[in-house]
Amino acid sequence: MIDIHCHILPGADDGAGNMSDALEMAELAASSGIKRIIVTPHCNVPGSFRNYWNYFMAEDVRSLQNEIRKKKINLTVYPGQEVYLAPGFVELLKKGEFIGLNESKYMLVEFGMRETADVAYRKLQQVIAEGYVPIVAHPERYGFVSEQQEAVYRMKDLGALLQVNRGSIKGAFGMSAMKKANEIISTYQADFVASDAHSQYSRTPYLADVHEFISEEISADYGDWLFKVNPSKVINGEEIYSF
Ligand SMILES: [Fe+2]
C-alpha cells in the first residue's frame, strides 16, 4: 500500500516531533503493509506552519529516508506538502513555494474547517487554472461538505480528487465526518484513503484494517484502487480516472 498523506517529517509541523518518533511511525506503517509514504507537512497555514518548498526541506526528506534505511525498515518516502489554501495562495503557487505530491501535478490541499462552499470551489478552480489537479484532503471533515449533499459531486465535476481519512471511517472525527466518509466511499466517489497520521500513538499510519474493511464490505478492487492503484499513479504522475 501507499500512504499519500502523512505528517511524518520530523519537526516540520504537529506530526512527528523528532527522528525517533518518525522512525516509530515508519515501523508501524511498514508493519501494516505500507511500502511507500508521501511526506506531507502542513504548508501555508495562516499564523502557523509555513513549510514552503526549498532545498532544506528536500534534504530533510532525504535524511528521513537515510535513517529509515539504516533501521532496515522496508519503506520509501517521497516529498510532498498539504497545502492550506489561504487567501493569496495563488501568488505563492506561481512563485514555486508549493509542490505537488512527489513533485507531480497532483497537489494535496486543505481548507479552513469553516470554509464556505463557493469559496472552496473557487479556490479549487484557481489551483486547476495553474495546471495542478487538487486532491482535497479529508473532504468529509468540512462543514460545507456535510451540509450540502451536492458538494462532493461539485468538487469532482470541477476536476478535484477526494482523499478520505482513515480515522474518519472509524469515527475518530465525530459522527458527521464518519457518516460522510462512509457515504463518499460507498458511492465510489473517493479516490484515495490515507492515514493523515500525526504520531505513532494516535492518528497513526496504520492502514491495514481500513483496507481490509473496504475490501470486504464494498469491493476488493475498490480497496486496491484507493490504497494502491491511484496512489501509485500519483507517484508516477499518471492520469487518474473514476472507478
Ligand atoms: Fe494532514
Side-chain angles (χ1 to χ4, degrees):
M1 285 185 287
I2 302 170
D3 190 5
I4 69 158
H5 183 173
C6 189
H7 299 268
I8 191 175
L9 194 65
D13 60 6
D14 54 348
N18 52 43
M19 187 59 80
S20 138
D21 288 340
L23 292 174
E24 282 189 43
M25 288 173 75
E27 253 167 358
L28 183 63
S31 78
S32 90
I34 295 171
K35 298 247 179 340
R36 299 188 271 175
I37 285 181
I38 306 179
V39 168
T40 53
H42 289 290
C43 168
N44 197 41
V45 183
S48 180
F49 310 113
R50 299 171 72 81
N51 287 326
Y52 299 124
W53 183 245
N54 59 30
Y55 169 82
F56 300 102
M57 296 213 58
E59 274 299 295
D60 288 346
V61 177
R62 276 191 284 272
S63 60
L64 173 61
Q65 182 68 73
N66 281 337
E67 295 302 315
I68 287 171
R69 200 170 290 131
K70 276 195 227 160
K71 272 256 183 185
K72 300 199 181 343
I73 303 167
N74 182 17
L75 187 75
T76 308
V77 292
Y78 299 84
Q81 294 169 322
E82 180 178 17
V83 178
Y84 192 109
L85 299 181
F89 79 87
V90 176
E91 284 63 41
L92 295 167
L93 204 166
K94 285 181 193 294
K95 278 170 60 187
E97 303 280 8
F98 309 146
I99 56 163
L101 299 178
N102 195 27
E103 303 192 64
S104 71
K105 66 177 178 175
Y106 297 104
M107 185 172 283
L108 185 69
V109 301
E110 68 171 329
F111 307 110
M113 283 297 152
R114 285 195 247 155
E115 191 75 281
T116 61
D118 287 345
V119 173
Y121 302 148
R122 192 164 67 243
K123 287 176 174 177
L124 292 175
Q125 284 171 315
Q126 288 174 306
V127 172
I128 291 163
E130 294 303 315
Y132 287 89
V133 176
I135 298 176
V136 178
H138 41 68
E140 71 280 0
R141 296 186 61 197
Y142 297 113
F144 76 90
V145 179
S146 291
E147 286 152 19
Q148 300 182 22
Q149 196 58 35
E150 74 277 12
V152 160
Y153 298 93
R154 277 291 299 275
M155 290 192 287
K156 298 212 69 172
D157 283 348
L158 290 173
L161 300 172
L162 305 182
Q163 176 259 303
V164 167
N165 269 11
R166 167 210 196 246
S168 301
I169 297 167
K170 299 162 65 94
F173 300 101
M175 277 304 287
S176 157
M178 182 166 102
K179 188 164 162 265
K180 189 51 90 170
N182 284 282
E183 182 189 308
I184 294 172
I185 290 169
S186 61
T187 53
Y188 301 101
Q189 295 304 307
D191 301 287
F192 310 90
V193 172
S195 76
D196 192 8
H198 281 66
S199 107
Q200 65 273 45
Y201 304 117
S202 63
R203 296 183 74 180
T204 69
Y206 194 88
L207 291 178
D209 50 356
V210 279
H211 175 254
E212 192 181 308
F213 172 75
I214 293 168
S215 300
E216 284 176 3
E217 298 295 322
I218 299 174
S219 129
D221 283 347
Y222 190 46
D224 284 349
W225 189 262
L226 296 172
F227 293 86
K228 298 174 188 173
V229 176
N230 283 346
S232 162
K233 287 180 171 179
V234 164
I235 287 175
N236 297 326
E238 296 166 1
E239 284 312 308
I240 290 177
Y241 304 100
S242 299
F243 183 75

